[in-house]
Amino acid sequence: MSERKATLHIEGMDPIELPIYSGSTGPDVIDVRQLVSKGLFTYDPGFVSTASCESKITYIDGDNGVLLHRGYAIEDLAANSTYLETCYLLIHGELPNAKQMEVFEKEITTNTMVHEQLIQFFRGFRRDAHPMAIMCGVVGALSAFYHDQLDNDNAEHREKAIHRLIAKMPTLAAMCYKYSIGQPFVFPREELTYAENFLHMMFSKPTKDSNVDPVLARAMDKIFMLHADHEQNASTSTVRLAGSSGANPFACIASGIAALWGPAHGGANEAVLNMLEEIGDVSNIDAFVAKAKDKDDPFRLMGFGHRVYKNFDPRATVMRETCDEVLTLLGIDNDPLLQIAKRLEQIALEDEYFIQRKLYPNVDFYSGIILKAIGIPSSMFTVIFAVARTVGWISHWHEMLNSPYRIGRPRQLYTGETKRSYLKK
């Protein structure tokens, strides 16, 4: 990192020199750590202007629609890589050679099973519990089953925890779905790929095996890949903050799942389907688009635009092509919700109101349509997001523990009562 200085002038105080650091790319950062010794804090609600860490994993340029994982553009990875290869890249920093990939895939495959006693945890939940509520519980419970190698200071232990989490998340996700519909759990199979295994565990029955179509497996793999990591978002920052206390990795990932659950974060593609259901019919679209354009109307079109990408979401371009492949394969253009979605997409790409405001369909819009087409209920959408994002969370946790770090301790601007005497009434 290169370094230069900024001078802060505050009335009644001597000038304060603050270092300015430049990374390999992206905005410079001002190091404000010495301000606390001067009796000052910075004030940044939501931490939107604060770099809380140094990282080499993911870079986003929202103004230009750029998403890089370890320097590789997401479009290149989506065209040439797989989810598990991307996992290896995020964790280790480089793409694997053939031998490294073989060993990594075998390690993941042999860890897909979960402890039989974990089934008892599922039976403690109501059948109508939200799958994310169950995921929070069972992922946190993994620490009670796999506590043999949980020394965070041991690199081999960290790697074992990483492999276990990546491997077991699809199994747990499918178990959440099966439990909610009252069907028996389906075991993973070692001859299937990561995405094939997930779809197999979701849709197979004891009476009938589900033959996973390669197009659907590729679509599922791309959904996993495109959600693998997204820099220092709310859930990733939560995992880092939890990890900074020395908490075990399963608890850290459970905290990320809790943060992801919110509709402003991981629940966005579920919100897309809810919006389509609210619109109800293609004939109602014009009225709802008018409501979306009315700044005084609380209605918002979900799945359009992005808080980070001010131009276009590079993941959406890939997801749109995959969406077309899936819909063509399944031949379900007559589905009412999918008809609404395709019409909304057309409007967003042609209407000057959306073009001027750069409200393009984002990755949540297309992934929601794909998952709906595959037959996955909207309540499972955020669970699938959690499966995909686990590698991002655990990569950041691993990176943090490999570097000097401090326990997270945000400050506050206190506006409550000052010290006062206790007077009993």
Side-chain angles (χ1 to χ4, degrees):
M1 292 187 298
S2 60
E3 179 184 336
R4 56 190 196 280
K5 300 285 186 179
T7 304
L8 179 64
H9 296 276
I10 300 174
E11 187 176 348
M13 298 180 66
D14 293 333
I16 304 171
E17 280 202 340
L18 301 173
I20 301 176
Y21 300 122
S22 299
S24 56
T25 188
D28 295 342
V29 299
I30 301 173
D31 186 343
V32 298
R33 284 176 288 184
Q34 64 170 294
L35 291 183
V36 67
S37 66
K38 311 291 185 183
L40 297 169
F41 300 151
T42 57
Y43 183 60
D44 182 21
F47 308 113
V48 293
S49 299
T50 299
S52 62
C53 64
E54 178 188 338
S55 181
K56 296 180 173 68
I57 298 173
T58 296
Y59 172 72
I60 297 172
D61 179 351
D63 291 338
N64 294 302
V66 173
L67 171 60
L68 306 178
H69 290 327
R70 302 288 192 177
Y72 293 99
I74 190 62
E75 299 93 329
D76 288 344
L77 290 172
N80 301 294
S81 189
T82 65
Y83 175 69
L84 280 188
E85 188 177 62
T86 303
C87 287
Y88 187 98
L89 172 68
L90 291 173
I91 296 162
H92 297 287
E94 298 292 343
L95 289 169
N97 60 35
K99 181 61 178 177
Q100 289 170 329
M101 193 62 205
E102 180 185 350
V103 171
F104 183 70
E105 286 182 330
K106 184 177 180 181
E107 188 67 27
I108 299 302
T109 300
T110 55
N111 276 286
T112 51
M113 290 283 290
V114 297
H115 197 289
E116 183 73 11
Q117 200 175 351
L118 195 65
I119 294 173
Q120 304 302 321
F121 276 71
F122 281 88
R123 291 175 180 157
F125 290 97
R126 287 172 54 114
R127 289 282 179 182
D128 59 355
H130 195 286
M132 282 295 278
I134 300 176
M135 282 294 282
C136 281
V138 295
V139 172
L142 289 178
S143 58
F145 290 88
Y146 304 102
H147 51 72
D148 56 322
Q149 293 179 313
L150 278 181
D151 180 1
N152 288 347
D153 295 327
N154 186 310
E156 290 183 6
H157 286 199
R158 290 201 300 271
E159 188 168 27
K160 189 65 179 177
I162 289 169
H163 292 161
R164 282 172 169 167
L165 277 159
I166 294 171
K168 296 181 192 306
M169 287 295 282
T171 307
L172 293 174
M175 289 172 78
C176 286
Y177 173 63
K178 288 296 192 182
Y179 184 76
S180 70
I181 60 175
Q183 287 186 5
F185 298 135
V186 176
F187 293 129
R189 285 167 43 180
E190 293 190 359
E191 73 273 17
L192 299 177
T193 67
Y194 194 85
E196 286 173 341
N197 228 335
F198 174 68
L199 293 175
H200 154 71
M201 290 185 288
M202 284 284 291
F203 297 117
S204 288
K205 302 175 185 177
T207 55
K208 182 182 179 183
D209 247 357
S210 175
N211 295 317
V212 180
D213 189 283
V215 173
L216 300 186
R218 282 199 305 272
M220 198 72 247
D221 195 75
K222 280 192 169 55
I223 287 176
F224 286 149
M225 183 192 298
L226 296 176
H227 290 86
D229 189 51
H230 211 236
E231 208 218 73
Q232 305 304 319
N233 50 74
S235 57
T236 301
S237 299
T238 299
V239 171
R240 276 187 175 261
L241 193 60
S244 73
S245 73
N248 78 65
F250 302 111
C252 293
I253 298 306
S255 74
I257 293 171
L260 186 72
W261 192 354
H265 190 6
N269 49 12
E270 183 177 353
V272 170
L273 263 290
N274 293 338
M275 174 198 70
L276 297 179
E277 289 173 353
E278 183 181 355
I279 294 173
D281 190 84
V282 174
S283 62
N284 299 327
I285 288 179
D286 289 343
F288 276 91
V289 169
K291 284 163 65 68
K293 292 179 179 181
D294 183 354
K295 63 180 181 179
D296 296 322
D297 194 301
F299 176 78
R300 293 291 179 267
L301 286 176
M302 304 302 296
F304 296 87
H306 197 280
R307 290 180 66 187
V308 173
Y309 299 107
K310 307 308 178 188
N311 191 325
F312 63 94
D313 183 342
R315 301 167 300 171
T317 305
V318 177
M319 205 83 276
R320 184 187 184 193
E321 295 172 1
T322 303
C323 184
D324 290 340
E325 287 179 14
V326 169
L327 295 184
T328 299
L329 170 71
L330 298 177
I332 50 175
D333 290 338
N334 60 342
D335 184 286
L337 293 188
L338 295 180
Q339 287 181 341
I340 296 170
K342 297 300 286 183
R343 176 58 185 147
L344 282 176
E345 176 196 28
Q346 181 184 6
I347 291 172
L349 296 175
E350 297 176 356
D351 191 307
E352 280 302 314
Y353 177 89
F354 292 93
I355 294 172
Q356 289 175 6
R357 290 163 177 78
K358 299 179 180 178
L359 296 175
Y360 304 111
N362 60 33
V363 69
D364 298 310
F365 181 80
Y366 292 115
S367 63
I369 295 172
I370 293 170
L371 294 174
K372 157 72 176 169
I374 291 174
I376 296 172
S378 59
S379 62
M380 281 292 297
F381 287 4
T382 317
V383 173
I384 290 170
F385 195 156
V387 172
R389 184 57 57 85
T390 292
V391 67
W393 292 333
I394 205 67
S395 296
H396 283 274
W397 171 83
H398 184 54
E399 180 183 61
M400 180 184 69
L401 293 182
N402 271 333
S403 311
Y405 69 95
R406 297 181 63 178
I407 185 170
R409 180 56 172 92
R411 304 293 184 161
Q412 66 177 14
L413 174 63
Y414 179 69
T415 56
E417 297 286 348
T418 56
K419 185 177 180 180
R420 51 183 172 170
S421 300
Y422 176 77
L423 297 174
K424 191 172 184 179
K425 296 181 181 179

